[in-house]
Amino acid sequence: MLTERLLRQVAFIKEIDKVKYILRKTKLLHSDRCENDAEHSWHLAMMTIVLAEHSNHPIDVFKVLKMVLIHDIVEIDAGDTFIYDAAKSHTNTNEELIAAKRIFGLLPPEQAEEFIEIWKEFEDGFTNEAKFARAMDRFEPLLQNTSNNGGTWVEFDVPYHKVHEKKSAIGLGSATIWDYAERLIDESVEKGILRKDS
Amino acid sequence: MLTERLLRQVAFIKEIDKVKYILRKTKLLHSDRCENDAEHSWHLAMMTIVLAEHSNHPIDVFKVLKMVLIHDIVEIDAGDTFIYDAAKSHTNTNEELIAAKRIFGLLPPEQAEEFIEIWKEFEDGFTNEAKFARAMDRFEPLLQNTSNNGGTWVEFDVPYHKVHEKKSAIGLGSATIWDYAERLIDESVEKGILRKDS
């Protein structure tokens, strides 16, 4: 029985290797190489550990770590959705739910259930842990784009108001980090790497 | 003051982007693409969450997560050391300690100290948390090599006894996982993808 359990866990561990092939639109710092979801998730986990003290509310950091580590695993089946893609909502889609059930379903049932719940909590964004995790998810590409002369903002002609609107979710997790992020956005307009709306 | 603190944290977060460029010898599953340290650290974190129940002793899983997430950051300065490299010890070197002090030293002092302590604890391998973290670090390349027709074992002509010796550290963290890992090693010899010593 224990072996059967371990075999299911190993099957899942092998399956999620595919996360390393899912490319995001954003690039590494000072680079034109796309970041993949495994690298992205690792970076969010590190940011969570380092920045947790700035959360607006007390949070279970261990739970936030689980969220950011697993949040993109569904993209193995559903693919990455660009945050500024108007045609496809970045929020929880049915396709992603089916993916979550298949991939987390490789695990022993109660682990699968726990992972699906954590993933849903992240997607819903209602709890303090989800708000902070989502703040990290919005903050990292900001650091990337400002280091890459505008990065995806320039590449996909994204204007200031869209960036400001999407990034404002950072403030739901941390007012301190949002204060800093807003300054980075304003500086980007001044530097001409983010287009002010006409 | 808070801004000064946040700026130090952001400087660290930017610096560790370099972890994504450090290539390991081992390849992704069923692939000839080298894994980088960020992908590797993410995978170990996922393995830790999934497999923690198999630890020989009760462990603080949050602490193990911190260990596996940061354990290779020193390689930004010190580079990756191949586990079967006889000329260069994989254990804690002076070069790595200098790297730890510089990179973690970008953080606010008490955070820098905490990270250096966690990294040292991992390297020393004495605590239950370090034993489990190190078990994950040894187990992942075993899954990779067995999926890649021997992978680095074949590439660098590593014989059975060396693999068995290095991998036996898995048992210090989890007898259950070591039992399974030993079976994978034996099967590899039978399949001819791991050379039995003459």
Side-chain angles (χ1 to χ4, degrees), chain B residues 171-185:
Chain B
L172 301 176
S174 167
T176 308
I177 299 173
W178 173 231
D179 185 55
Y180 173 71
E182 216 173 4
R183 221 183 309 164
L184 287 183
I185 295 170

Side-chain angles (χ1 to χ4, degrees), chain B residues 45-110:
Chain B
M46 286 302 307
M47 291 168 67
T48 297
I49 294 172
V50 171
L51 301 175
E53 67 189 50
H54 302 298
S55 172
N56 292 337
H57 304 282
I59 44 171
D60 175 349
V61 183
F62 182 31
K63 193 177 200 183
V64 178
L65 280 182
K66 287 185 183 174
M67 281 183 187
V68 297
L69 288 167
I70 73 167
H71 80 293
D72 275 342
I73 287 177
V74 295
E75 297 189 351
I76 289 174
D77 289 353
D80 179 51
T81 304
F82 186 44
I83 194 169
Y84 300 109
D85 184 344
K88 204 174 165 189
S89 168
H90 194 69
T91 54
N92 188 350
T93 63
N94 192 43
E95 202 182 350
E96 288 187 336
L97 182 60
I98 293 167
K101 287 181 179 169
R102 181 191 76 76
I103 304 164
F104 296 131
L106 294 170
L107 288 163
E110 97 289 351

Side-chain angles (χ1 to χ4, degrees), chain B:
Chain B
M1 282 308 284
L2 183 61
T3 303
E4 164 66 18
R5 187 171 169 85
L6 181 57
L7 288 178
R8 289 191 75 138
Q9 292 166 329
V10 169
F12 172 78
I13 287 163
K14 287 182 174 176
E15 176 68 15
I16 63 172
D17 197 61
K18 294 174 183 166
V19 168
K20 299 167 191 172
Y21 294 98
I22 304 166
L23 296 183
R24 294 164 51 78
K25 290 281 185 288
T26 41
K27 314 288 191 294
L28 303 189
L29 294 182
H30 311 291
S31 166
D32 57 5
R33 202 262 274 169
C34 284
E35 184 183 45
N36 69 53
D37 276 347
E39 298 168 327
H40 166 64
S41 301
W42 169 78
H43 217 153
L44 298 198
M46 286 302 307
M47 291 168 67
T48 297
I49 294 172
V50 171
L51 301 175
E53 67 189 50
H54 302 298
S55 172
N56 292 337
H57 304 282
I59 44 171
D60 175 349
V61 183
F62 182 31
K63 193 177 200 183
V64 178
L65 280 182
K66 287 185 183 174
M67 281 183 187
V68 297
L69 288 167
I70 73 167
H71 80 293
D72 275 342
I73 287 177
V74 295
E75 297 189 351
I76 289 174
D77 289 353
D80 179 51
T81 304
F82 186 44
I83 194 169
Y84 300 109
D85 184 344
K88 204 174 165 189
S89 168
H90 194 69
T91 54
N92 188 350
T93 63
N94 192 43
E95 202 182 350
E96 288 187 336
L97 182 60
I98 293 167
K101 287 181 179 169
R102 181 191 76 76
I103 304 164
F104 296 131
L106 294 170
L107 288 163
E110 97 289 351
Q111 266 189 331
E113 209 172 306
E114 186 204 343
F115 278 46
I116 292 171
E117 283 311 308
I118 288 173
W119 171 73
K120 277 187 188 165
E121 185 177 330
F122 172 85
E123 287 292 323
D124 291 342
F126 296 136
T127 64
N128 291 332
E129 282 76 15
K131 283 175 188 163
F132 193 79
R134 291 168 73 88
M136 297 299 97
D137 198 29
R138 299 283 161 96
F139 186 42
E140 192 220 19
L142 182 59
L143 297 177
Q144 291 166 323
N145 278 349
T146 50
S147 85
N148 284 329
N149 292 316
T152 55
W153 300 332
V154 172
E155 192 179 349
F156 299 97
D157 193 32
V158 186
Y160 168 85
H161 84 270
K162 276 200 184 172
V163 171
H164 192 276
E165 182 200 323
K166 291 286 185 188
K167 297 300 176 193
S168 65
I170 294 171
L172 301 176
S174 167
T176 308
I177 299 173
W178 173 231
D179 185 55
Y180 173 71
E182 216 173 4
R183 221 183 309 164
L184 287 183
I185 295 170
D186 289 345
E187 281 172 15
S188 299
V189 172
E190 286 161 30
K191 283 180 189 162
I193 60 173
L194 176 59
R195 173 171 67 83
K196 193 86 186 179
D197 311 61
S198 51

Side-chain angles (χ1 to χ4, degrees), chain A residues 151-170:
Chain A
T152 56
W153 301 332
V154 172
E155 192 179 351
F156 299 96
D157 193 31
V158 186
Y160 168 84
H161 84 271
K162 276 202 184 170
V163 171
H164 192 275
E165 180 201 324
K166 290 287 184 187
K167 297 299 175 191
S168 65
I170 295 172

